[in-house]
Amino acid sequence: MNFQDIILAKRYGRKLTNEQIRFFVDSVTDMSIPDYQISALLMAIVLNGMDDEETTSLALFMAESGKTVDLSAIPGKKVDKHSTGGVGDKCTPILLALVSSFDIPVAKLSGRGLGFTGGTVDKFESICGFHTEIPIDDFPGQIEKVGMVLSGQTPDLAPADKVLYALRDVTGTVDSIPLIASSIMSKKLAGGADAIVLNVTYGNGAFMKNKTDAIALAEKMIRIGHLSKRKVTCVLSPMNQPLGKAVGNILEMQEVVNTLKGFGTDDLLEICIRLAVEMILLSDKAAEHQPDSLRSLCEKKIRSGSAWKKFSQFIVAQGGQVDASGNPIFCDVPVEVEAMRSGRKGYVESISAEQVGRASVVLGAGRREQSDKIDYGAGIVFSKKVGDAVEFGDKICALFMGQSHPKDSSRVAEAIEILEAGIVISSEPVLSTDDEIVVMK
Ligand code: URA
């Protein structure tokens, strides 16, 4: 097969055959075609799209390009969860404990931070001793012991996606619905779950900048699920301001603990409960509960402390240290180094999630280069959210750095500058925005 013919077919808007897509993925995996030809095809896909059948084939062949995880030794239906990314998105640790407190087995493969968005693996690694490299063979044993397990994604999971993702990042071909849908679904299909709940975020801190695009992406992933015989539910949620109060690894994990103890912010708790309900509905336990009762049952699991107890047991099971009350012990102490205050009386009109993400990376909470070491104590905690009234001089947010890292004034100044460009205070009360959560199946 000639690769140039495949590029030309897509350039002229033709549908690619299964064989052509397989040849494309195989050639990417064994690196037998040069990057410029792959990039040309990616651009043709961005411009001319792919239908559901093509996108599903791409997802399936990418899933098969490396190892696929076999979770069949874990009894019951396994439900996975994935978020398309966000700032302050600490749903996974909360959800794992919440869903697991219903005796549903949860096996999660998670990633590290990407760009200005945080990663679950980095967050858990802020706990002293916590292991994030759990061999797949050890999953059933740990599930039997504590009901949940979390591991970093292995490099041999969907390797074709890794090559394509790195190229897309530098060739202006990231934001294409078939490419994003096949990239996400390839990893989920390779991950071995029977059913998948996807949190599709939209807004300035997400890949999808508006709800219309988020709906199109969700529809595509649901259809890929249907064609590959996996149940997929998408929960669409806004990402125009950071989720909850904290951004940064230890700061977010502290917020996770507070949320599981019943002191979560409304936006964070709401999305976690909506995601948990959909995960339970896809599990074997769905038949044991009235669907309408699941929301209040989730609230009860938090109020009664069962979800928090699960979380603490899980930390210990993965080698993490906890104190006498079961609270995780972190590898550093976040220290407040600066506060950003309102320069006027008014209302918080907007807090750009993207700018906040960028500012937290500057403080050290994420990596600018892949080899960068993270400052686990770095980040930002908000005292005000969109819609709140502020007086002149009120604290909007506090900037933190880890105690073991020397205070770097130039980084703090740069972070403040980024935040100032991303936070708007207006004199008028803020009208409600189009921020509702939508579930699609
Ligand atoms: N997340 C992914 O895994 N892939 C994409 O293409 C975008 C977000």
Side-chain angles (χ1 to χ4, degrees), residues 165 168 179-180 183-184 187 207:
Y165 197 89
R168 287 168 57 209
L179 291 179
I180 296 177
S183 164
I184 292 174
K187 287 170 287 209
F207 279 105

Side-chain angles (χ1 to χ4, degrees), residues 82-85 114 161 165 168 173-174 176 179-185 187 207:
H82 182 83
S83 163
T84 58
L114 189 69
D161 175 62
Y165 197 89
R168 287 168 57 209
T173 52
V174 169
S176 141
L179 291 179
I180 296 177
S182 55
S183 164
I184 292 174
M185 288 301 289
K187 287 170 287 209
F207 279 105

Side-chain angles (χ1 to χ4, degrees), residues 97-140:
L98 188 51
V99 173
S100 169
S101 69
F102 283 81
D103 287 329
I104 296 168
V106 189
K108 179 89 183 80
L109 294 170
S110 285
R112 292 187 185 279
L114 189 69
F116 60 84
T117 64
T120 302
V121 167
D122 295 326
K123 288 172 208 184
F124 275 107
E125 281 181 352
S126 70
I127 299 171
C128 294
F130 192 95
H131 301 300
T132 55
E133 312 250 308
I134 309 290
I136 305 287
D137 290 347
D138 293 354
F139 276 26

